[in-house]
Each structure stands twice: as structure tokens, then as C-alpha cells.
Amino acid sequence: MRRSNQDRIVGLDVHPDSFAGAILQGIDPWKARVVSTSTRVALPLLEKWALRHTREEDILVMEASGNAFCVAERLRALKRKVVILESHRAGKVGKTYCATDRVDAIKIARIYLSALSPVVWQPDAKTRERREVFSAYQAVVKEGMRLKQQIKSMLNEHCVRLEKGFRLSHPSALGRLLRRRKWTEAQKMLLSQLHAGLVGARVRRQRLRHYMAQEILAEKELLRLTRLCGINLITLYGLIAAIGEIKRFATARKLSTYFGLNPTVEQSGNYEGSGALKRHGRGAIRALLVQSAKKLLQVDNPLQKWGLALAARRGRNKATVAVARKLCVAVWHVMQGHVIGAIERTTTLHTKLHKLATELGVPTIKQLGYETKEAFVQKKLYVLRSYA
């Protein structure tokens, strides 16, 4: 859209409790005139400030942050046009500016006019909710691992060795640990606290997995993704939480780039080739896809033969990333409703659906109208095989 010198850009520097605003007029990023600025405005007064200082034709710009999407939603309710800039690039462009809220607000508006920072997609409420759930799951997994390592470290200090298969997160594990040796009262207290935290993390993790399974089951478009090789519950939920609206990715390559799975291009003189990944994009989802690819190279599936042939020529690591990229491409095609070949075999799909039923639990299965888990699995297997 062509802009005129009369257009106004409103830069917003938003904090958890307050924000600063700067209104610029003009299309030149450096010559645009600063009309007015506001600093240290309480965030609850956002709507009142916007109605007083901005117009519907203004473009309100802010940098991506923890509460940026929530603030954008509040402004859109006032029929304001909101743009959110990618924080990493915007931060690089603005490094030469002073770190004051007023200058930051002006900086954000000028960066938008310069077009040097890409605009990020603003997810809908459902996608934001899924991202919150997935983030909570990642946090509880990390917390569980930390507590488990603390318990093992304490046991190692006192030469207590655990037999293979000992489950520290089981409710009865604390009593078994306390019987291993004579502990002081302080040591018993520490073990009890660590174990209680670990059990709590396990319960939260199970509840989150149960919620994810229910949501996937509720939408047939998401359930279709279970047909793909190597896509388990957590990987599937992480993918849909990160992707949101699939139509925003015009090609499968753009989706691969979003997850940082496309190799960099190296060119010098007559040489042209591909380099290593630069680890940009969504690292958590990329890690899940790479883990899935490693597993696919070890078990029988439609992608294994191709992946092993590539590994023989280019090495195991490059083959793993290539399989992860193919898996990402398959996800794009399935979400677009296309026919693909990277489909799980019936036996593997049966196992995957059985695990999904386990996450749901027998009470939920019966609420859905199925007498047993096997009846649920057979019905969903029939439905999935009937898809094009």
C-alpha cells in the first residue's frame, strides 16, 4: 500500500506495567517529523490513550515481546491497525539509539518506515492458547529433569545406587529411598521436598498431555497429522501451536525456513553450494523434528530407505536434517489437504493410536462412547485410513 507524507506511524514501547508512545508523520524513516510523544503511561490506560491520540487510519507499531499480542488485541478492538516487528532484527537496527522509552518508541516507528525489520504474524486466540500450553509442557519437563538430577546427585554423594528401572517420580519411591540408609532429619526433609516437587511435575505433565490428546482428537484436521511417520503427540501439538494458520506459508519451503531446517547458501566465484544450518527459526520445534528424524532412520518406515541412502553419501547428521526437512514438507502438504507418501504403516499407526488412547484415559474413552481402548483405536484407524 502506497503511503503519503500525511500518513502517521505510532511507535509503542510496551512494558508490563506501562508504555511509551511516539507519533511520527511522513514516509522517510529519518526525516519523518515527530508530532508528539508520551512516556510512562500506565498500561491500563492504553485504550483511553489510543482513543485520544490516534486515529483509525494510523498504523500502530510495536516490537514483539511477552505481552505484544495481548496489547495488539486490545488496540484492534478499537479498530486500530497494529503491526508487530520481529524483535531480534528490530533490536539490531536500533542498537545505536539511547535506551530511553521515548527514544525507543520513536525508534520503533522509524524502523517500521525503513522496512529493515520483518513484520511478524499475529496469532489468533486459539493459537496463542496452544503456545501457552506447549510452553508450559516444556517448562514442566525441564523442571522434572532438574529435580530428578538433584535427587540423583544427593544419592550419589551418599553412595546410594539405584537399580535399573527405579522410577524416582513414583509416589512410593520416597519410602524406598528412605530405607536405603540412615538419613539425618535435614536430609529426610530435603529428599521429601525434592520428591514432592518431582511427583507434582509428573502430575502436571500428565494433565498437559491429556489436554493435548483431547484437543487433537477434537479436530479431524489435527488427527490426520498422526498418520505421518515419526509424529508423536508432543511433536504434533508443538507443530500446530507454532504454525497456527497454515495458509500464511505459501510453500512447504517457507515452512521449513520458519523452523530453521533449510541449509544456508554459500557462493564464492564459480563455487556455489549449501552450508550448515544457522540455528534460526523455532529451535524447540526443530529439535523435535530432528529427534523424530533420528528415530525414522532406525526403524522401518517409508522415509528410512531414502534417509539411509543419503547417510551413506553425505553422513548421518546431514541425512537426519534432510529427513526432518522432508517431514516438515509432509506436514505442510497434509495441512493443505494434499496426498503424500510419508504415511505410517498400519501396525505403527495402531500403536500410535493406542498411545493416544492411553493419554486420554479409560474414563474419557467411555465418555466418547467407546467401551474399550481397542474399540476406540479401531474406529480412529478406520477413519484415518479413509482419508485421501
Side-chain angles (χ1 to χ4, degrees):
M1 183 178 69
R2 189 173 181 179
R3 296 196 295 264
S4 70
N5 282 322
Q6 299 303 313
D7 287 346
R8 301 200 319 170
I9 306 299
V10 182
L12 294 174
D13 183 30
V14 183
H15 298 281
D17 301 313
S18 63
F19 69 94
I23 302 175
L24 273 65
Q25 189 165 355
I27 59 175
D28 188 285
W30 313 119
K31 294 181 180 179
R33 182 173 62 90
V34 179
V35 178
S36 66
T37 60
S38 304
T39 58
R40 296 182 181 178
V41 183
L43 197 57
L45 301 177
L46 175 68
E47 286 82 358
K48 184 178 179 180
W49 181 89
L51 289 171
R52 180 179 179 182
H53 295 277
T54 67
R55 304 187 293 242
E56 290 188 13
E57 59 269 21
D58 293 343
I59 299 177
L60 281 64
V61 188
M62 68 185 76
E63 192 176 338
S65 61
N67 61 351
F69 295 130
C70 179
V71 170
E73 189 174 11
R74 291 168 61 181
L75 291 170
R76 281 198 298 271
L78 302 176
K79 298 183 179 180
R80 296 302 190 264
K81 302 172 185 176
V82 184
V83 172
I84 300 179
L85 302 180
E86 194 271 321
S87 57
H88 180 68
R89 189 77 62 83
K92 280 189 173 181
V93 174
K95 266 188 176 180
T96 57
Y97 289 83
C98 299
T100 66
D101 288 348
R102 178 182 178 278
V103 173
D104 281 344
I106 298 173
K107 174 198 72 176
I108 292 170
R110 293 195 190 280
I111 291 173
Y112 171 74
L113 288 171
S114 70
L116 292 175
S117 177
V119 174
V120 301
W121 176 69
Q122 299 180 41
D124 54 78
K126 190 61 179 178
T127 301
R128 293 206 308 272
E129 183 183 90
R130 286 172 176 166
R131 290 181 178 182
E132 289 170 358
V133 172
F134 183 69
S135 177
Y137 181 82
Q138 288 181 298
V140 78
V141 169
K142 188 175 181 179
E143 180 186 354
M145 291 298 296
R146 178 181 59 81
L147 290 168
K148 189 177 292 185
Q149 291 302 319
Q150 282 185 280
I151 294 175
K152 287 184 176 180
S153 176
M154 185 173 177
L155 295 176
N156 185 59
E157 289 177 3
H158 297 279
C159 300
V160 176
R161 307 296 293 176
L162 299 177
E163 63 271 16
K164 188 176 181 180
F166 190 101
R167 294 178 60 190
L168 284 172
S169 59
H170 195 275
S172 65
L174 179 60
R176 296 167 62 188
L177 290 176
L178 293 177
R179 290 192 294 269
R180 292 298 179 96
R181 70 183 301 275
K182 283 189 175 182
W183 302 95
T184 66
E185 290 302 317
Q187 291 167 347
K188 289 180 181 179
M189 177 192 66
L190 293 174
L191 276 175
S192 299
Q193 288 183 342
L194 291 172
H195 182 260
L198 185 59
V199 172
R202 178 195 177 194
V203 172
R204 296 201 305 275
R205 184 175 176 178
Q206 288 175 337
R207 290 182 63 184
L208 288 168
R209 292 178 69 95
H210 178 81
Y211 177 84
M212 293 178 190
Q214 281 186 310
E215 191 163 356
I216 289 169
L217 186 64
E219 297 186 30
K220 63 180 182 180
E221 292 80 8
L222 305 183
L223 189 62
R224 289 182 63 196
L225 288 171
T226 60
R227 299 193 306 163
L228 291 175
C229 298
I231 299 294
N232 60 19
L233 173 65
I234 303 305
T235 303
L236 194 160
Y237 197 87
L239 282 167
I240 63 173
I243 293 171
E245 176 54 60
I246 190 63
K247 298 297 182 183
R248 66 192 182 102
F249 299 100
T251 64
R253 182 179 179 84
K254 290 185 180 297
L255 181 60
S256 299
T257 303
Y258 181 65
F259 291 129
L261 287 170
N262 277 347
T264 55
V265 176
E266 296 180 351
Q267 185 176 13
S268 178
N270 295 326
Y271 169 79
E272 183 175 351
S274 58
L277 301 181
K278 290 298 184 182
R279 301 192 182 278
H280 62 280
R282 290 190 166 269
I285 311 301
R286 180 173 63 250
L288 290 174
L289 288 171
V290 169
Q291 288 175 10
S292 298
K294 288 181 179 179
K295 185 66 176 178
L296 291 176
L297 290 176
Q298 299 171 1
V299 297
D300 184 30
N301 63 84
L303 292 177
Q304 185 190 38
K305 184 178 180 181
W306 179 85
L308 292 177
L310 182 62
R313 300 193 309 269
R314 303 293 301 276
R316 195 83 174 186
N317 289 340
K318 289 187 177 180
T320 299
V321 174
V323 171
R325 189 160 50 246
K326 267 193 172 293
L327 197 56
C328 184
V329 171
V331 168
W332 183 85
H333 281 289
V334 170
M335 295 186 74
Q336 293 282 1
H338 302 161
V339 179
I340 61 166
I343 302 299
E344 291 276 25
R345 301 183 188 279
T346 302
T347 53
T348 312
L349 187 56
H350 182 281
T351 303
K352 188 181 291 186
L353 287 172
H354 198 277
K355 290 181 179 179
L356 181 64
T358 302
E359 297 292 350
L360 289 170
V362 174
T364 303
I365 294 294
K366 290 188 175 181
Q367 285 179 6
L368 294 172
Y370 302 97
E371 289 297 324
T372 62
K373 288 198 294 186
E374 185 59 30
F376 167 85
V377 170
Q378 290 299 329
K379 176 63 177 178
K380 296 305 175 184
L381 188 61
Y382 172 78
V383 172
L384 288 176
R385 291 177 65 185
S386 65
Y387 286 137

